Amino acid sequence: MAAEHLQGQDVQLTIKKDGKVLTTLSAIQSFEISVAVAAQELAFLGERGPRIDMTYGGVSFSFELRHRDSGFHTFVDAVKSTAQHRTPGVRFSIQGSIAYPNGEMAKFLIQDVGFDGLPFSVGGQAEFVTSRISGKAQDMKVFGAAAI
């Protein structure tokens, strides 16, 4: 019997503005998180070989979604107002839930998110409206099944 694998329909993102849910995006076509770490080779006098160290550079993310309702446009307006400094002090975060076939649930939280752009695309008369959103943040918290 083949092992069950995680599928895309088991992922949803909740966008929060100042801790309150702004919108939940569930028609996620793809989602990627990249944890920026860099290995460095350090050489010191009197030592036979280099030391390897790592530095942490935050997280970057991107996701593509299909539009299901006007929640995306509410989200765009809130990000635009914040970027134009019309609503100072606003903080955005992304919370994701991943439901595994064996019943485990994993969650992640990316706080103080900065967005790179908020495009949306209408490819044609018979095409779905989609968006590909990317951004960066200083850190991400991961909560495994045992921590929930």
Side-chain angles (χ1 to χ4, degrees):
M1 181 174 161
E4 294 184 47
H5 297 278
L6 182 66
Q7 294 181 329
Q9 78 267 18
D10 301 318
V11 178
Q12 75 172 19
L13 300 177
T14 301
I15 307 292
K16 293 183 176 184
K17 174 182 166 184
D18 287 335
K20 296 179 183 159
V21 174
L22 183 64
T23 188
T24 298
L25 306 171
S26 59
I28 306 297
Q29 290 182 287
S30 64
F31 186 79
E32 179 179 311
I33 297 175
S34 179
V35 177
V37 292
Q40 296 177 333
E41 193 172 295
L42 306 170
F44 294 94
L45 296 175
E47 293 186 4
R48 294 183 182 266
R51 294 183 193 175
I52 305 299
D53 194 13
M54 289 192 304
T55 57
Y56 176 68
V59 296
S60 59
F61 62 88
S62 65
F63 58 93
E64 188 170 355
L65 64 117
R66 285 187 180 170
H67 294 228
R68 290 202 168 177
D69 56 31
S70 63
F72 176 79
H73 300 290
T74 302
F75 163 62
V76 168
D77 189 51
V79 172
K80 182 179 162 215
S81 283
T82 302
Q84 291 174 328
H85 302 289
R86 291 189 290 162
T87 53
V90 173
R91 296 171 45 182
F92 291 94
S93 59
I94 297 174
Q95 177 179 318
S97 300
I98 302 171
Y100 289 91
N102 67 359
E104 292 180 325
M105 176 75 83
K107 293 185 178 186
F108 59 88
L109 176 64
I110 306 172
Q111 295 177 305
D112 297 327
V113 170
F115 296 97
D116 290 329
L118 302 169
F120 66 95
S121 172
V122 182
Q125 186 177 11
E127 299 293 322
F128 292 105
V129 178
T130 61
S131 290
R132 180 134 186 97
I133 298 170
S134 62
K136 295 180 177 103
Q138 190 174 29
D139 203 4
M140 173 181 74
K141 296 178 184 176
V142 178
F143 307 95
I148 295 174

